[in-house]
């Protein structure tokens, strides 16, 4: 067990974590910035983002139009100040990303090519083919490489953030007292050592929670670790009931995570049809296939329940094949590999868990309710998305809030000063390596099954109560395992998934109306 000191500790290497690292490293060449990430450097939700980033760029578009679309998609539960700020700061943040080297597709006139997605009333999606996230992730990693005051540590798993609860006095904080963050306990997955990282400020940029469901577009890293850590440390976590299901994940039983068929494909003109060939979205919303995501996902779910079919179909057969291949080479070749020729066959699709609109509550500077602890990106709840995120507003939110957090840290150098507290090493007394991992993998599958069967697109109080009972049993079982087992990434993820499931269910039970992505049979 070792002890490390760093000025800025960033947990996560997606767009949020990397953008903050670059901005603070440039402003503070003499400060040490440490980025830890639990898998290979680029593994993240960011890497798989397809459609792009929503930014007002076209002269015929307007900030007001993007604001209106964001509010409408969010069912007006958004924070107005945040929506205004993010949308107006977006073009400058995008320009910075382009200056760092990110390449986006251009149109024939040499301007940025702008795509369209559900819920947008204008073309404003900046993209790199259908692999926008990969382009951004690789660009950011290249910048990181050049900044010598950043240490990027792959295969380092953050177990818990350190607060007064861990200090040597084990101070009990009363509800109105300030909680401080002093860094994090991090497992070096190569040595298995759980080391103490003491930091001036700590930033949670740990991404989403898709893996709490059996069917998700999110990679296996998306286990809600940062949100669970913040919750254990008593940070405010809210709006967890607003889980967004993407309408069109490729239907391929047994494949996990599910491959995404970007919403940009519907923006390009594809139709949703049932097995009989009917365009059922025409009866549901005037925007048909380009209604906001909550509406389309729910309509598909209803159509599947009505027909008893296991999927619906995305019809691209009327589209120009060469133009499709050029815009969506990744989707085209994935379909081809599984025997779907998009010029002749429709693509079988189903909704899958995709994005969390809620998370760790932060203010307009990205500060959480715990002092010296920020949250950025998908793990945070900024107020931008309200009850349902508008397509392609997530990469944007991460980019703009990375800027806000960097500015806040730069404006307050005192935040980086060492704190005078005695922090003990990670305590693993009385624990031993588990004999069998099956106990952990079994419980992980159980959590995913409960969430997929009882806490999915359509909920009810009866289903939620049942889920809570079953999760309580799993929680107790996992806590028993936790008390006696040496810590491992698998066990930490299970504990975190349990916490995330608990938060989604309890906060769903608290919501007494249908709003955005939250839909219960008990309300109108
Ligand atoms: P991530 O990119 O997920 O990064 C989280 C990082 O934290 C990872 O490096 C992870 O390994 C690390 N981490 C997690 N837990 C720990 C731990 N315990 N210890 C150490 N490290 C940890 N949004 C859009 O706006 N436009 C799109 O076109 C779009 N397409 C998408 C397509 C797909 C298939 C998916 C899954 C998402 C898409 N999204 C899109 C959503 C968007 O990609 C994410 O919301 C965004 O990338 C999140 O960025 P982030 O930096 O917050 O988290
Ligand atoms: C997609 O390409 O459909 C995903 C866009 C998003 O999640 O915003």
């Amino acid at each position: 067990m070792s002890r490390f000191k760093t000025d800025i500790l960033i947990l996560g290497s997606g767009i949020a974590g990397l953008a903050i690292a670059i901005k603070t490293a440039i402003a503070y060449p003499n400060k040490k910035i440490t980025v830890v990430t639990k898998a290979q450097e680029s593994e993240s939700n960011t890497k798989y983002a397809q459609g792009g980033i929503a930014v007002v760029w076209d002269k015929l578009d307007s900030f007001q139009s993007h604001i209106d679309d964001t509010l409408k998609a969010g069912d007006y539960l958004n924070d107005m100040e945040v929506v205004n700020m993010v949308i107006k700061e977006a073009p400058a943040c995008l320009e910075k990303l382009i200056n760092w080297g990110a390449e986006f597709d251009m149109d024939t006139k040499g301007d940025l090519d702008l795509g369209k997605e559900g819920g947008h009333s204008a073309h404003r999606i900046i993209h790199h083919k259908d692999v926008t996230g990969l382009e951004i992730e690789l660009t950011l990693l290249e910048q990181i490489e050049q900044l010598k005051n950043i240490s990027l540590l792959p295969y380092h798993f953050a177990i818990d953030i350190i607060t007064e609860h861990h200090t040597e006095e084990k101070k009990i904080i009363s509800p109105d007292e300030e909680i401080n963050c002093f860094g994090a306990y991090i497992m070096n997955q190569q040595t298995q050592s759980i080391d103490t990282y003491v930091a001036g400020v700590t930033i949670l940029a740990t991404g989403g929670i898709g893996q709490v469901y059996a069917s998700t577009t999110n990679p296996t890293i998306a286990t809600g670790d940062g949100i669970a850590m913040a919750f254990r440390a008593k940070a405010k976590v809210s709006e967890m009931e607003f889980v967004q299901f993407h309408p069109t994940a490729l239907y391929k039983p047994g494949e996990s995570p599910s491959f995404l068929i970007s919403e940009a494909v519907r923006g390009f003109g594809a139709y949703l049809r049932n097995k009989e060939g009917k365009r059922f979205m025409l009866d549901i919303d005037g925007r048909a296939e380009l209604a906001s995501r909550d509406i389309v996902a729910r309509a598909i779910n209803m159509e599947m329940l009505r027909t008893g079919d296991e999927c619906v179909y995305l019809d691209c057969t009327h589209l120009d094949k060469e133009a499709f291949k050029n815009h969506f080479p990744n989707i085209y070749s994935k379909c081809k590999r599984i025997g779907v020729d998009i010029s002749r066959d429709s693509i079988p699709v189903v909704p899958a868990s995709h994005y969390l609109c809620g998370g760790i509550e932060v203010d307009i500077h990205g500060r959480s309710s715990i002092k010296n602890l920020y949250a950025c990106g998908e793990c945070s709840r900024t107020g931008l998305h309200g009850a349902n995120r508008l397509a392609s507003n997530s990469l944007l939110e991460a980019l703009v809030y990375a800027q806000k957090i960097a500015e806040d840290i730069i404006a307050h150098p005192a935040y980086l000063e060492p704190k005078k507290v005695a922090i003990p090493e990670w305590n693993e007394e009385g624990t031993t390596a588990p004999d069998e991992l099956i106990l952990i993998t079994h419980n992980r599958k159980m959590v995913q099954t409960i969430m997929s069967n009882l806490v999915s697109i359509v909920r009810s109080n009866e289903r939620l109560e049942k889920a809570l009972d079953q999760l309580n049993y799993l929680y107790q079982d996992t806590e028993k395992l936790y008390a006696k087992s040496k810590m491992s990434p698998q066990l930490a993820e299970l504990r975190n998934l349990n916490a995330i499931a608990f938060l989604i269910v309890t906060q769903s039970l608290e919501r007494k109306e249908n709003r955005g992505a939250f839909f219960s049979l008990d309300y109108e």
Side-chain angles (χ1 to χ4, degrees), residues 50-51 117 246 260 262-263 293 354 389 391-392:
Q50 293 186 354
E117 289 178 356
H246 197 291
L260 184 72
S262 174
E263 194 148 320
R293 213 168 262 181
H354 182 65
R389 172 173 69 88
S392 288

Side-chain angles (χ1 to χ4, degrees), residues 162-174 182 185 421-427:
I162 303 170
T163 60
E164 280 81 358
H165 171 77
H166 301 94
T167 53
E168 275 175 2
E169 315 89 75
K170 295 219 178 327
K171 192 171 167 223
I172 310 286
I173 303 276
S174 60
F182 307 112
Y185 290 117
V421 282
I423 300 168
E425 289 183 341
W426 176 258
N427 182 1

Side-chain angles (χ1 to χ4, degrees), residues 27-315:
Y28 279 133
N30 298 322
K31 298 282 181 198
K32 187 168 178 200
I33 291 124
T34 306
V35 183
V36 301
T37 193
K38 69 177 173 179
Q40 188 247 338
E41 291 162 350
S42 67
E43 189 59 359
S44 57
N45 275 6
T46 301
K47 178 179 169 186
Y48 300 95
Q50 293 186 354
I53 314 184
V55 180
V56 173
W57 201 259
D58 191 309
K59 286 189 192 66
L60 297 176
D61 194 4
S62 69
F63 287 142
Q64 195 53 50
S65 165
H66 191 182
I67 290 169
D68 291 345
D69 292 345
T70 301
L71 297 176
K72 188 169 182 196
D75 218 350
Y76 303 96
L77 206 70
N78 325 58
D79 179 324
M80 249 336 268
E81 187 192 357
V82 169
V83 174
N84 261 298
M85 183 278 286
V86 171
I87 285 169
K88 291 182 180 163
E89 296 205 4
C93 287
L94 178 74
E95 270 171 30
K96 201 159 275 174
L97 190 57
I98 294 173
N99 288 339
W100 286 339
E103 288 180 8
F104 297 107
D105 293 347
M106 308 298 271
D107 63 18
T108 46
K109 290 193 227 120
D111 297 327
L112 282 173
D113 184 53
L114 304 172
K116 194 162 188 237
E117 289 178 356
H120 288 274
S121 48
H123 280 75
R124 61 168 77 100
I125 314 297
I126 319 288
H127 55 93
H128 178 107
K129 304 286 180 197
D130 53 355
V131 286
T132 308
L134 184 64
E135 172 65 16
I136 294 174
E137 184 71 21
L138 296 180
T139 301
L140 296 176
L141 285 171
E142 264 171 38
Q143 286 294 315
I144 295 271
E145 180 88 22
Q146 289 166 32
L147 290 159
K148 297 299 164 223
N149 53 336
I150 301 178
S151 308
L152 173 54
L153 307 174
Y155 300 103
H156 278 62
F157 192 111
I159 306 281
D160 259 321
I161 55 167
I162 303 170
T163 60
E164 280 81 358
H165 171 77
H166 301 94
T167 53
E168 275 175 2
E169 315 89 75
K170 295 219 178 327
K171 192 171 167 223
I172 310 286
I173 303 276
S174 60
D176 50 349
E177 247 183 305
E178 187 176 84
I179 306 174
N180 289 274
C181 178
F182 307 112
Y185 290 117
I186 290 165
M187 175 186 273
N188 176 334
Q189 289 161 256
Q190 256 115 42
T191 62
Q192 304 289 306
S193 159
I194 300 183
D195 301 325
T196 308
Y197 282 71
V198 181
V201 298
T202 303
I203 296 142
L204 293 169
T206 44
I209 56 101
Q211 288 286 327
V212 79
Y213 288 92
S215 160
T216 178
T217 62
N218 291 191
T220 52
I221 52 99
T223 49
D225 299 353
I227 302 173
M229 283 184 241
F231 174 62
R232 281 195 289 274
K234 300 199 168 23
K236 286 188 188 152
V237 172
S238 65
E239 298 187 348
M240 296 290 289
E241 67 275 32
F242 298 124
V243 176
Q244 183 171 76
F245 288 77
H246 197 291
T248 56
L250 179 67
Y251 174 65
K252 189 165 183 291
E255 185 168 87
S256 177
S258 302
F259 181 83
L260 184 72
I261 308 293
S262 174
E263 194 148 320
V265 173
R266 275 174 282 134
F268 194 70
Y271 299 141
L272 277 167
R273 297 187 191 275
N274 63 17
K275 204 156 72 186
E276 281 74 50
K278 181 173 178 221
R279 270 184 75 192
F280 55 91
M281 280 310 300
L282 290 173
D283 298 338
I284 309 269
D285 192 289
R287 296 166 293 177
E289 284 82 0
L290 288 177
S292 58
R293 213 168 262 181
D294 52 337
I295 295 171
V296 183
R298 227 163 17 241
I300 296 177
N301 186 63
M302 296 305 277
E303 194 60 20
M304 285 164 51
L305 288 177
R306 193 186 65 75
T307 58
D309 293 335
E310 290 186 351
C311 62
V312 294
Y313 297 89
L314 194 63
D315 177 6

